[in-house]
Amino acid sequence: MEISVKPNESVRAMLVDSGYSNTAIDYYLNQPDMGSLADADHVSELTGQCGDTMKIFLKMNNDIIENAKIQVLGCPGAISAAMVCMEMIKGQSIEYARTITDRDIFRKLIEIPDQKQHCIRLAVKTMNKALDEITQAQPAAV
Ligand code: FES
């Protein structure tokens, strides 16, 4: 008898073997904040040295990030890191979002392969690029 394995189960098994935690894999498979926002106030895009690209969509209410989504053309490390990053910034101030480090995201992912640490960097850099652009676009307080 042929035993079939569901696609997600075989992907999970591969990722576990590669060094991803189940938490990181859940973010990768469920992709809760993957996508775009039709009512975004700000859209920013960044391509990493590896060639992977992230495009972030932010809905702002003054300096509060009301909603955040991101499109990721990239690896499981990039996708899981980007999902954690969006989860961490939603409902938060720009000031708070700026304090988020690679290490914070890694802690939430629990484990991803060492050679995938730069994927976390790309998510944080994409977020900071967007925040820089928003801040620079705001008129200075009088
Ligand atoms: Fe490019 Fe992961 S390999 S972000």
Side-chain angles (χ1 to χ4, degrees):
M1 187 178 75
E2 197 175 308
I3 300 172
S4 71
V5 180
K6 291 200 178 110
N8 274 2
E9 287 171 19
S10 62
V11 169
R12 183 178 292 276
M14 277 177 66
L15 291 170
V16 166
D17 286 348
S18 305
Y20 288 87
S21 70
N22 273 306
T23 300
I25 297 168
D26 286 341
Y27 278 111
Y28 169 62
L29 292 177
N30 298 330
Q31 305 187 356
D33 289 308
M34 179 74 87
S36 60
L37 288 174
D39 61 347
D41 296 303
H42 190 81
V43 181
S44 191
E45 189 173 322
L46 190 65
T47 299
Q49 286 182 350
C50 61
D52 288 352
T53 297
M54 296 191 185
K55 189 172 184 181
I56 188 170
F57 299 78
L58 298 177
K59 174 71 184 158
M60 304 300 298
N61 181 0
N62 297 314
D63 75 331
I64 301 296
I65 302 163
E66 269 192 355
N67 203 358
K69 295 278 179 200
I70 193 163
Q71 294 174 330
V72 183
L73 281 176
C75 68
I79 292 172
S80 56
M83 296 303 107
V84 168
C85 189
M86 297 305 97
E87 183 179 281
M88 289 183 78
I89 65 174
K90 275 194 279 184
Q92 302 291 345
S93 65
I94 291 177
E95 194 181 358
Y96 171 81
R98 281 190 191 286
T99 67
I100 295 171
T101 64
D102 297 15
R103 185 86 204 141
D104 296 327
I105 292 189
F106 181 71
R107 268 194 220 108
K108 293 244 179 200
L109 291 171
I110 300 172
E111 199 58 68
I112 66 169
D114 284 347
Q115 67 270 27
K116 290 292 170 185
Q117 298 295 329
H118 75 274
C119 314
I120 296 178
R121 184 97 283 266
L122 180 59
V124 173
K125 279 174 83 173
T126 304
M127 171 192 70
N128 280 322
K129 178 174 184 254
L131 298 178
D132 285 348
E133 289 166 356
I134 289 169
T135 309
Q136 282 158 17
Q138 279 173 357
V142 209

